[in-house]
Amino acid sequence: MKRYFIILFIFLLFSNILLATHQRAAQITYRHVTGLTYEFTITMYTRTSSPADDDRIVMPIYWGDNTGDELNRIYFQPIPDVEDITLNIYTGEHTFPGPSTYLVSVEDPNRNYGVVNIPNSVNVPMYVETLLVINPFLGNNTSVELLNPPIDQGCVGKTYIHNPGAFDRDGDSLSYHLVVCKGAGGYDIPGYDYPMTSDYFRIDEVTGDIVWETPVLQGEYNVAFVIEEWRFGVKISSVRRDMQINIVACDHDPPEIFTIEDTCVLAGDFLQFEATAIDPDGTNVEMTAFGGPFELSQNPAYIQPDPAMGNDTVTTLFNWPTQCVHVRMEPYAVTFKAKDAGFPVNLVNFKTVFISVIAPAPKNLMADPLGAAINLSWEVSSCENAIGYKLYRRSGESGWEPGYCETGVPGYTGFKLIKEMNGSSTTTFRDDNNGAGLVVGVDYCYRVTATFFDGAESLASNEACAYLKRDVPMITHVTNDSTDLTVGQVFIDWARPIDLDTVQYPGPYRYVLQRSEGTTWNNPVQVAVNSGLDDTSYLDRSVNLNTFSKAYSYRIDLESESIGYIGSSQPASSIFLNAIPADEEIKLEWMPNIPWTNYLYFVYRKNPGSVDYQLVGSTTEQVYRDLELVNGQEYCYYVVSNGNYSIPGLPNPLINYSQLLCASPVDNVPPCQPELWVNTDCEQISNELKMVLPYDSCNHDALKYYLFYLPPGSDVVELIDSVNVVYRDTTYYLHTNIDYVVGCYYVTAIDSVGNESEPSLTYCVGYDACPVYEIPNVFTPNNGDDFNNLMVPMGSNSANPKANVHRIDMTIFNRWGKVMYTTQNPEIKWDGKNQNNNQDCPEGVYYYVCDVFIMTQQGEQKITMQGSVTILR
């Protein structure tokens, strides 16, 4: 009878393994139907010969909204040319309660037996999940489709490559990363490990190529990866695939594939290129291709022949008659797959080519000035699916022509986006600088691009330039009078209007000079009136730039004595210097408000005791740092600008002088932030602080470190000491006479005039800096070897338990519950005697309860320990 039950038990166990050993790979994908309703597809790959295959006609799914369902199996067929593998497809719809993020998951208990890198795989469920983000601001979404099956084969010692063939119909950006296979409850499988390699196992985050370089052991392996979808920089979906790879012994190599690198094609053009596969072992080769272009409903791509088959070397021709509907921001991925006829498995290789379909540029952009604005027009985009246009502007001709595949208008060209227009039929725009009017004298140049639903832009149009008529004055100089800079008078010069309509605005004429304080035009006052169009300069003797606390701005109004006001120049300000003294340097800043462009500034300085200014530097920026000065000495400056208008017929360069400005450098710069490390000595209960200043000019006069300490359980920081800085080297300080090593430190650095640096990063020494408190389970008091005579914490010979333990409350009992020993000393030091009568306790097992009060940064915390200790004599 006993033998019968043993046989029955073995039979039942073997039967359970058979029933459970069929689930090999899986994933969940979805398709948006309408509104909040989505159709989900569970795709599973199972062992055909397993009896469990026939049983799973429904599959449980959890929607991530606290509800679940069972999806019906709609497809159940063995995969052709793949031994013992069946494809199972389950589908069903679900309507979600509202916009949110949902984690949809499936868990099947029937993972197959014998997976090498999953311990006891027959008892580990198959778990996959898909993230769905429903966000009305991001639009509807359909998940990626995986065109390549997740069942594959490889050889020991041979490079293994796999590509899932992910295709996203919405044109979203995809990224890939490896993850740990999940099991029961969606948790990472305990003991799971990535496949053993001779070099590496990784996934290309852009192409999705999984490369195993190289397999070491035969067997079945399961790996998982996640494909993430990104739209406008936001993750909107992810699909987890759990796949299986069968590694066997073989001695042949996979084919090699040769084709073009990534490319682009203009929508409407026919793209054609060859791909060739060569098998290094001379076996038959079959080459196929898959990817987004083959899945399109309109004008899909195709290869000829399909598949390409032959001995040793095969070639196929990729063909794609593109259309405007194919235009999108993200490139399409075309993956070529070559499979050899090797034995005992067919090895494969993949090559992915990214193809960008770009839209042609809008044609015949034209720019016509009218009044204080420029009218722009262009032809309708040749792509009917364009949704609008982007208009760009810069000052002066760029000379830029778009590079091959270069869409939009890159920032390096100097163009800036000034307008986005909806609707492809809107092909005109009036640029009046958002109502402020354009500037006379500037050559405005424009480019336009067509835009598409996902943010894609076409090639840029031709460059069209225009400038306003010179029918108003144009200021060219607002400058400190260079004949005597010390007086600080302002010389204003302007160009007369040469395109003035004298019929509409008859003379005689006059200029009215207005002045405003600061660079912002506000509350102007009249300064002077010049009669006639040729009187175009004025020296403003009523101001002093050198003593005024800000710039002066000027504007020229043109008037007809018979009609009145005609128009005004753009305001222009003087260059006003601002000095920011620092340690052995003076930083100069200026920001004039002018209608022309300054392209270069020259900086002049007068040294202490000198009467002349000398050129000390130049810059294209509106800032200059004058270095290596002497603190406390006075230095004086002025700046000369060189600029121009971008139209011909005006003075070039335009030279303007700033006011005179004097300042003295001062040491107001603290040392740089110190770096701090702490080494802990648990036996001596001390912390050694190591401090260093990163080498920089801000550290040349650092003298001391201030050392700050936050004791455990306290919120009051203490200044514990100061030490001299070891310049360009590490400074050490030993913090002793502390009760515990636990605590936090930071340091600051002080220089010769008392400037204090920012605190270093805080370094905290925690309870775990010293060995954890452990109680031994045996000791040998008075056995004659003079070793292990006392019961002390583990490791107490090399560490001091007081370093991180405040106290203990320990009671030791014999087997009848009688107290043998009590102590509050963290070192315990029980000598094996009965504390009540000082007699040796007999050999045997004793029990203890110990409350350990450890010292943490937050203060004292209790840990209760229970166990036994054996006395051996």
Side-chain angles (χ1 to χ4, degrees):
M1 183 64 70
K2 182 177 180 181
R3 182 180 179 186
Y4 169 78
F5 280 118
I6 292 175
I7 294 173
L8 178 62
F9 172 77
I10 294 174
F11 173 77
L12 292 174
L13 177 63
F14 184 67
S15 297
N16 287 334
I17 292 175
L18 285 178
L19 288 172
T21 181
H22 82 138
Q23 192 63 262
R24 295 178 170 273
Q27 80 238 0
I28 309 168
T29 54
Y30 63 85
R31 177 181 64 88
H32 178 253
V33 178
T34 181
L36 299 172
T37 301
Y38 292 78
E39 179 187 68
F40 282 81
T41 299
I42 305 169
T43 306
M44 290 185 163
Y45 296 81
T46 58
R47 173 171 286 176
T48 308
S49 59
S50 171
D53 248 14
D54 294 331
D55 297 336
R56 302 310 300 270
I57 61 173
V58 295
M59 183 62 61
I61 188 168
Y62 301 93
W63 300 117
D65 59 1
N66 297 319
T67 67
D69 209 340
E70 288 187 337
L71 304 190
N72 294 321
R73 185 165 62 186
I74 64 167
Y75 185 89
F76 178 61
Q77 294 293 331
I79 300 178
D81 302 325
V82 180
E83 183 180 357
D84 205 21
I85 300 295
T86 297
L87 172 61
N88 302 255
I89 298 177
Y90 305 80
T91 64
E93 291 187 359
H94 181 68
T95 300
F96 291 89
S100 188
T101 298
Y102 301 96
L103 190 64
V104 181
S105 62
V106 169
E107 181 177 323
D108 187 300
N110 297 333
R111 189 185 288 270
N112 74 285
Y113 177 82
V115 178
V116 174
N117 59 331
I118 298 180
N120 194 25
S121 62
V122 70
N123 292 320
V124 178
M126 171 77 71
Y127 175 93
V128 288
E129 63 188 20
T130 288
L131 184 73
L132 166 65
V133 177
I134 302 179
N135 185 333
F137 298 102
L138 296 175
N140 298 320
N141 185 57
T142 292
S143 74
V144 294
E145 301 170 42
L146 304 181
L147 306 177
N148 206 15
I151 301 293
D152 216 343
Q153 301 178 99
C155 292
V156 172
K158 304 297 182 180
T159 301
Y160 168 83
I161 302 176
H162 175 85
N163 188 287
F167 166 58
D168 186 77
R169 292 189 179 274
D170 301 317
D172 297 314
S173 177
L174 303 181
S175 63
Y176 305 78
H177 64 271
L178 291 172
V179 291
V180 173
C181 289
K182 290 182 179 290
Y187 292 101
D188 291 349
I189 297 173
Y192 175 87
D193 200 1
Y194 290 112
M196 185 181 298
T197 75
S198 62
D199 194 352
Y200 59 81
F201 182 88
R202 64 192 180 201
I203 190 169
D204 189 300
E205 64 180 15
V206 176
T207 66
D209 284 344
I210 296 174
V211 181
W212 186 350
E213 189 69 56
T214 57
V216 175
L217 297 175
Q218 297 183 53
E220 294 177 343
Y221 297 84
N222 269 70
V223 298
F225 55 91
V226 170
I227 306 171
E228 296 176 330
E229 291 180 60
W230 302 83
R231 185 177 297 175
F232 309 126
V234 178
K235 185 169 75 171
I236 61 169
S237 179
S238 67
V239 171
R240 168 186 281 261
R241 168 179 266 191
D242 193 316
M243 70 170 291
Q244 189 167 92
I245 308 166
N246 184 28
I247 301 299
V248 301
C250 66
D251 59 0
H252 60 289
D253 292 299
E256 298 179 8
I257 302 175
F258 301 92
T259 188
I260 66 169
E261 297 302 320
D262 300 343
T263 187
C264 70
V265 57
L266 195 65
D269 288 352
F270 194 102
L271 179 64
Q272 191 175 73
F273 60 87
E274 288 185 341
T276 298
I278 301 175
D279 184 63
D281 301 300
T283 70
N284 287 340
V285 182
E286 176 183 286
M287 184 159 61
T288 56
F290 54 86
F294 302 99
E295 304 298 319
L296 300 172
S297 59
Q298 298 184 45
N299 281 38
Y302 58 95
I303 59 172
Q304 292 176 312
D306 185 13
M309 294 185 294
N311 185 48
D312 183 69
T313 301
V314 297
T315 297
T316 190
L317 188 65
F318 175 85
N319 303 271
W320 191 9
T322 62
Q323 293 182 323
C324 281
V325 293
H326 301 149
V327 172
R328 70 180 197 184
M329 181 179 293
E330 292 297 319
Y332 294 85
V334 172
T335 302
F336 294 92
K337 178 180 180 180
K339 180 175 67 173
D340 70 9
F343 180 82
V345 297
N346 306 132
L347 294 184
V348 300
N349 204 344
F350 296 88
K351 171 68 176 179
T352 299
V353 178
F354 288 103
I355 302 171
S356 296
V357 181
I358 59 178
K363 295 181 179 179
N364 295 328
L365 175 63
M366 302 181 67
D368 297 306
L370 182 63
I374 293 176
N375 292 331
L376 301 161
S377 62
W378 58 93
E379 293 182 11
V380 173
S381 171
S382 59
C383 285
E384 295 181 356
N385 56 325
I387 63 170
Y389 301 95
K390 286 186 176 181
L391 192 64
Y392 298 84
R393 182 184 71 199
R394 62 163 280 152
S395 174
E397 296 182 3
S398 69
W400 169 71
E401 288 299 328
Y404 184 67
C405 299
E406 187 176 26
T407 59
V409 182
Y412 72 82
T413 62
F415 283 93
K416 294 185 177 180
L417 178 66
I418 62 169
K419 184 66 177 179
E420 292 188 53
M421 291 164 285
N422 294 324
S424 60
S425 61
T426 304
T427 58
T428 60
F429 179 73
R430 180 172 172 82
D431 181 19
D432 61 359
N433 198 25
N434 292 321
L438 297 175
V439 176
V440 175
V442 175
D443 190 16
Y444 292 100
C445 295
Y446 299 87
R447 300 266 188 166
V448 65
T449 63
T451 59
F452 296 80
F453 75 99
D454 65 343
E457 289 186 66
S458 70
L459 294 171
S461 70
N462 61 293
E463 185 168 300
C465 301
Y467 51 85
L468 303 182
K469 292 181 178 180
R470 287 180 52 185
D471 55 1
V472 291
M474 296 174 58
I475 296 180
T476 56
H477 297 84
V478 178
T479 176
N480 195 353
D481 186 4
S482 60
T483 61
D484 190 351
L485 295 177
T486 61
V487 177
Q489 298 172 348
V490 182
F491 177 73
I492 306 99
D493 194 18
W494 59 94
R496 60 172 289 172
I498 60 174
D499 296 322
L500 179 63
D501 187 342
T502 57
V503 175
Q504 183 179 359
Y505 302 107
Y509 305 100
R510 63 189 177 202
Y511 299 113
V512 179
L513 181 63
Q514 307 272 2
R515 183 182 69 216
S516 173
E517 296 181 357
T519 56
T520 301
W521 191 253
N522 188 32
N523 298 321
V525 295
Q526 181 174 311
V527 176
V529 176
N530 288 9
S531 297
L533 291 179
D534 294 328
D535 191 358
T536 59
S537 63
Y538 182 80
L539 182 63
D540 190 357
R541 296 182 173 88
S542 63
V543 298
N544 188 340
L545 287 175
N546 298 329
T547 60
F548 194 54
S549 61
K550 48 188 169 183
Y552 284 108
S553 295
Y554 293 85
R555 188 185 74 188
I556 313 297
D557 295 340
L558 176 62
E559 295 181 354
S560 164
E561 293 185 6
S562 58
I563 295 179
Y565 177 78
I566 298 175
S568 301
S569 71
Q570 291 285 331
S573 74
S574 62
I575 302 173
F576 179 76
L577 296 186
N578 183 39
I580 305 174
D583 187 16
E584 299 183 357
E585 77 166 90
I586 292 175
K587 181 180 179 181
L588 300 174
E589 295 179 337
W590 58 94
M591 192 171 292
N593 186 6
I594 51 177
W596 63 88
T597 299
N598 283 334
Y599 53 82
L600 187 61
Y601 299 91
F602 295 97
V603 180
Y604 291 82
R605 182 184 73 204
K606 184 176 71 171
N607 291 325
S610 176
V611 295
D612 297 322
Y613 285 84
Q614 302 293 328
L615 177 66
V616 294
S618 62
T619 176
T620 59
E621 307 296 327
Q622 294 177 330
V623 62
Y624 182 81
R625 292 180 64 190
D626 195 15
L627 306 175
E628 299 181 0
L629 306 179
V630 178
N631 288 340
Q633 298 289 317
E634 185 178 68
Y635 299 83
C636 297
Y637 300 88
Y638 68 85
V639 167
V640 180
S641 67
N642 283 19
N644 62 12
Y645 284 99
S646 56
I647 64 172
L650 290 167
N652 188 7
L654 304 179
I655 300 175
N656 288 273
Y657 291 74
S658 75
Q659 92 277 20
L660 301 181
L661 177 68
C662 298
S664 300
V666 59
D667 187 356
N668 55 9
V669 179
C672 295
Q673 182 185 38
E675 298 176 5
L676 172 68
W677 299 268
V678 178
N679 290 332
T680 296
D681 188 328
C682 298
E683 185 175 358
Q684 299 299 323
I685 311 183
S686 64
N687 288 315
E688 183 186 52
L689 279 64
K690 300 192 303 180
M691 299 151 280
V692 68
L693 286 167
Y695 177 66
D696 193 273
S697 59
C698 56
N699 292 325
H700 70 92
D701 62 343
L703 294 181
K704 287 182 177 292
Y705 292 109
Y706 284 173
L707 284 59
F708 296 89
Y709 172 59
L710 179 64
S714 174
D715 57 2
V716 178
V717 177
E718 303 173 1
L719 175 62
I720 57 174
D721 211 339
S722 65
V723 293
N724 291 332
V725 170
V726 179
Y727 189 52
R728 295 195 184 182
D729 206 347
T730 303
T731 303
Y732 296 89
Y733 177 83
L734 188 63
H735 190 200
T736 59
N737 298 321
I738 51 178
D739 295 327
Y740 319 99
V741 297
V742 178
C744 292
Y745 299 88
Y746 68 84
V747 299
T748 61
I750 310 296
D751 68 12
S752 57
V753 296
N755 294 312
E756 188 172 5
S757 73
E758 292 184 17
S760 68
L761 297 179
T762 299
Y763 194 110
C764 290
V765 179
Y767 165 76
D768 56 356
C770 292
V772 295
Y773 197 79
E774 292 184 277
I775 299 174
N777 58 10
V778 65
F779 73 111
T780 58
N782 302 324
N783 67 342
D785 64 0
D786 204 26
F787 176 75
N788 204 23
N789 287 333
L790 296 177
M791 176 182 174
V792 295
M794 299 285 287
S796 62
N797 294 330
S798 60
N800 189 341
K802 295 180 180 179
N804 55 5
V805 176
H806 181 202
R807 60 187 173 89
I808 68 171
D809 189 357
M810 186 177 201
T811 302
I812 301 176
F813 309 87
N814 64 13
R815 68 179 63 186
W816 295 280
K818 187 176 180 179
V819 175
M820 296 290 102
Y821 184 74
T822 62
T823 184
Q824 291 186 330
N825 183 357
E827 295 180 276
I828 305 176
K829 292 186 175 181
W830 184 34
D831 58 3
K833 295 181 181 295
N834 185 334
Q835 198 175 47
N836 302 305
N837 56 23
N838 205 34
Q839 297 294 314
D840 286 342
C841 295
E843 282 190 340
V845 178
Y846 294 83
Y847 303 91
Y848 63 82
V849 175
C850 183
D851 290 333
V852 182
F853 297 88
I854 63 172
M855 185 55 65
T856 70
Q857 191 58 45
Q858 291 72 37
E860 182 183 274
Q861 295 185 13
K862 184 178 78 171
I863 297 175
T864 299
M865 306 176 69
Q866 300 181 40
S868 65
V869 60
T870 300
I871 294 178
L872 299 176
R873 295 190 185 275

